[in-house]
Amino acid sequence: MYKSRLRTALLWLSALGVALSLFFAASGSGKALATQLFVLSAVVLVSLLIERWRYKRVSDLRPEPGWEDTGERFRDTQTGRLMAVYFDPATAQRHYVVVPDVPRR
């Protein structure tokens, strides 16, 4: 929940920064400041948008054949589920799979 609020605030601030830089550039005042503000805000905005695409959600499905189980396990902080990490040696991609919970005795 905290991460989603922070992400939303950063999205709004970076979008505001892009808008302000375009306003400053159009008004003719502070072109150097407008350029710096635009570049910084655009980098943050694009980074936040790419982050969702690059780090895809985890899957309950097993990965394709050829993926190797790394033996890594961790508890996802957002969902509380146990995750297994798989690795594709051909592409160096990692895939996160939900490990079914085994009831404790």
Side-chain angles (χ1 to χ4, degrees), residues 54-91:
R54 174 67 177 98
Y55 300 102
K56 299 174 187 145
R57 295 209 176 261
V58 297
S59 168
D60 292 331
L61 305 173
R62 294 282 174 225
E64 298 284 326
W67 288 71
E68 300 173 3
D69 187 356
T70 64
E72 294 175 67
R73 301 290 187 269
F74 66 94
R75 183 122 347 238
D76 184 12
T77 56
Q78 290 183 347
T79 63
R81 298 187 295 183
L82 186 62
M83 307 299 293
V85 181
Y86 285 81
F87 176 76
D88 183 7
T91 63

Side-chain angles (χ1 to χ4, degrees), residues 47 49-57 92-94:
S47 298
L49 295 175
I50 287 177
E51 178 254 348
R52 285 291 170 128
W53 165 78
R54 174 67 177 98
Y55 300 102
K56 299 174 187 145
R57 295 209 176 261
Q93 290 182 320
R94 294 167 65 91

Side-chain angles (χ1 to χ4, degrees), residues 83-105:
M83 307 299 293
V85 181
Y86 285 81
F87 176 76
D88 183 7
T91 63
Q93 290 182 320
R94 294 167 65 91
H95 185 75
Y96 305 99
V97 178
V98 175
V99 175
D101 284 332
V102 178
R104 294 183 183 179
R105 293 182 184 187

